[in-house]
Amino acid sequence: MDDFWCETSDDEFNMHDDESLDKRDILDTFGSVYESVEFENYRVLNKEDIKRYQEHDILKVSSSLSVSRYAAAILLHKYAWNGKVLLDAWIADEDGAREFVGLPKKPAVGLQKSGESSVCGMCFEKYVFDKRFENSVGFCGHRFCTACLENHVSKAIDDGPACLFLQCPDPNCRAVIGQDRVNTLVSDEGKIKYKEYLIKSYVEDHKFIKWCPAPNCDCAIQYLRGVSYDVTCRCWSNFCWKCLGEAHSPVDCETAANWMLKNISESENVSWILASTQPCPKCKVLIEKIDWRKYVTCLCGYAFCWTCLGSVTGFECTACVNYQDGVKHDKNAEERVRNRFKECGLRYVYYFQRWDANHKAQEKEVADLCNIKGNLVEVLEKKHCRNGGGFKFLTEAWKQIVECRRLLKWTYVYGYYMPEHANSKTTLFEYLQGEAEMALERLHDCAENTLNLCLKFDDTTDIFETLKFELLDRTAVTKKHFKNLLQGVSDGLPEVEGNPRWKLGL
């Protein structure tokens, strides 16, 4: 009996993914006909899976406790579908457990014979007792006519899920009305509603199962194990299982919530600072620009360019020539921008800018992915006469881009909340972050270039295979860099001597 409640003990409920496959590969493989898909730390359940799991638990309790299926459903529902808690309570005090859920210990039988008339306790009219009710779950012996019971149950079902706890109409009786008696009283529509409420209760009351928060999605996620709560539903919605917000690894739920609240409270200040001020590169005092001039002179006497913060000699700024590529390609420029924000007390602005830029990039990349999956793949397959997933590598690359962009976005939040005095950890983190970001940008460029070439040229096997191999390689490399980044954060960014490449074996 100790192994009574083991969710993964039965073979038909175990499914282990191939470690060589990405979780999205598995989703694509099973498509709309898969049962329950299990990843490292969670399962994706569709509606049929939920019904199957629920029925499995009910039958298990029915067999173990020697009660009817309907009584087992009532017991599990009252104990929040936690079989182990139910079992412990039943073994400790069966009578107490029965009383808690409203199951009489013994059916109240022999009070009347079938066909005999009685007076209804609700309408006080004479009626002929329906003998079928004697064998129903929770039967307590209180007599009511079928019409009054039908109205009592139907109204409760129309009122909502509370009908699952419906009790005898007698005000002094706590006996529950089970699904078997419900089925004899209500219409087919009422039966369907009652079953839907029961299925929803299985998810909503279950400790380790939650509905996908995406609109119009009827899938649920069962959390199994691990430290990461990031999950991806069958509808491609990516969210945090714990808080049901956007997936936010590598930061925890509290940090993510604090960041979003800070964004709201700081939005006006940040907008004004970004639009109207610049710190003097020399003395670090904030300067508000009030006219159209490109070159300004600080009170300390330093003249600089408003665009690139470079020194101005005469009426010319030579630094602007090299500013076209901006922070994206010039590591020295990146370092200068980072330092000027930090030194001026605008550390939040620096990290917010990058978080926001990656957020907007993510939105565009999601739209691009939808366009590729919805239209462009079909166009390419017709153009190049390739069927059966010939261009799946393109969609996989874009899925990787979207996922990595989301991770990169939240690494800036992680960086913002890192202790400023942890210099060696910060150095390792920024190194890993920089390598991952560079790999992502290269993958994005390669994916766009491959897509454009495939759209531009007709089928040429050699060119196609070369493009495919290069994109697959960049996808794998990018995935590895982000895995290193997350692993480093998970390990607490251990301090190492010398170049951090030594730690990662790169």
Side-chain angles (χ1 to χ4, degrees), residues 130-150:
D130 191 335
K131 193 74 173 178
R132 293 176 301 170
F133 294 159
E134 273 192 353
N135 298 318
S136 63
V137 172
F139 181 69
C140 56
H142 294 115
R143 303 301 172 91
F144 303 94
C145 69
T146 303
C148 286
L149 279 176
E150 180 180 339

Side-chain angles (χ1 to χ4, degrees), residues 204-492:
E204 291 165 4
D205 294 342
H206 202 290
K207 186 177 180 180
F208 297 108
I209 302 179
K210 292 182 181 180
W211 291 112
C212 171
N216 304 318
C217 180
D218 59 0
C219 289
I221 308 295
Q222 181 184 19
Y223 185 75
L224 301 176
R225 64 187 78 84
V227 295
S228 174
Y229 290 100
D230 285 1
V231 298
T232 301
C233 184
R234 185 178 160 197
C235 67
W236 299 117
S237 174
N238 190 271
F239 61 96
C240 171
W241 186 89
K242 189 174 182 181
C243 68
L244 297 182
E246 178 189 353
H248 47 67
S249 288
V251 300
D252 58 31
C253 298
E254 183 180 0
T255 302
N258 290 339
W259 174 260
M260 299 306 293
L261 288 173
K262 186 173 184 64
N263 291 347
I264 295 172
S265 63
E266 297 279 0
S267 59
E268 290 186 7
N269 292 336
V270 172
S271 297
W272 181 83
I273 290 172
L274 293 177
S276 306
T277 68
Q278 288 277 25
C280 171
K282 185 177 181 180
C283 69
K284 312 306 179 185
V285 172
L286 274 180
I287 300 174
E288 180 183 1
K289 188 177 182 182
I290 57 176
D291 56 29
W292 55 268
R293 287 178 295 178
K294 181 178 179 181
Y295 305 139
V296 295
T297 302
C298 180
L299 292 176
C300 69
Y302 183 76
F304 65 96
C305 172
W306 187 266
T307 303
C308 70
L309 302 183
S311 176
V312 174
T313 303
F315 296 96
E316 208 173 58
C317 176
T318 55
C320 278
V321 176
N322 299 320
Y323 189 76
Q324 299 303 320
D325 291 334
V327 173
K328 181 177 178 181
H329 300 294
D330 186 348
K331 289 188 176 181
N332 292 329
E334 168 74 12
E335 189 65 26
R336 288 198 301 272
V337 172
R338 178 179 310 179
N339 290 337
R340 75 180 176 88
F341 275 122
K342 289 181 179 179
E343 291 171 5
C344 295
L346 299 179
R347 188 168 179 271
Y348 166 73
V349 177
Y350 167 79
Y351 285 99
F352 173 79
Q353 275 189 312
R354 279 140 190 81
W355 180 89
D356 187 56
N358 280 287
H359 178 73
K360 291 173 180 175
Q362 180 189 354
E363 290 180 337
K364 183 182 183 304
E365 287 158 357
V366 168
D368 290 341
L369 173 59
C370 293
N371 186 35
I372 291 170
K373 290 178 62 178
N375 303 311
L376 294 183
V377 167
E378 185 178 350
V379 171
L380 288 170
E381 287 179 347
K382 289 181 179 179
K383 183 180 180 66
H384 295 273
C385 301
R386 294 175 183 271
N387 298 315
F391 287 91
K392 185 180 177 181
F393 70 96
L394 266 177
T395 57
E396 290 304 309
W398 242 275
K399 290 172 191 174
Q400 190 69 57
I401 290 169
V402 170
E403 175 68 8
C404 290
R405 185 67 68 185
R406 181 191 62 76
L407 287 170
L408 180 63
K409 175 177 72 173
W410 287 101
T411 61
Y412 281 102
V413 180
Y414 184 89
Y416 173 74
Y417 284 103
M418 283 185 70
E420 293 188 56
H421 62 273
N423 295 328
S424 59
K425 291 183 181 291
T426 301
T427 299
L428 175 58
F429 171 74
E430 291 181 349
Y431 167 77
L432 293 171
Q433 185 188 49
E435 292 292 300
E437 185 166 11
M438 195 179 306
L440 175 57
E441 295 303 333
R442 287 171 178 165
L443 172 61
H444 195 182
D445 291 343
C446 182
E448 286 189 330
N449 182 56
T450 301
L451 177 61
N452 292 334
L453 290 175
C454 288
L455 289 170
K456 183 176 180 180
F457 296 109
D458 292 330
D459 186 43
T460 303
T461 303
D462 292 341
I463 297 177
F464 179 85
E465 293 301 325
T466 300
L467 293 172
K468 179 179 179 179
F469 177 80
E470 182 181 359
L471 187 55
L472 286 172
D473 182 61
R474 289 209 177 274
T475 302
V477 169
T478 303
K479 187 173 183 179
K480 181 179 179 181
H481 277 292
F482 275 87
K483 183 178 180 180
N484 288 338
L485 173 58
L486 292 179
Q487 187 63 51
V489 171
S490 177
D491 292 343

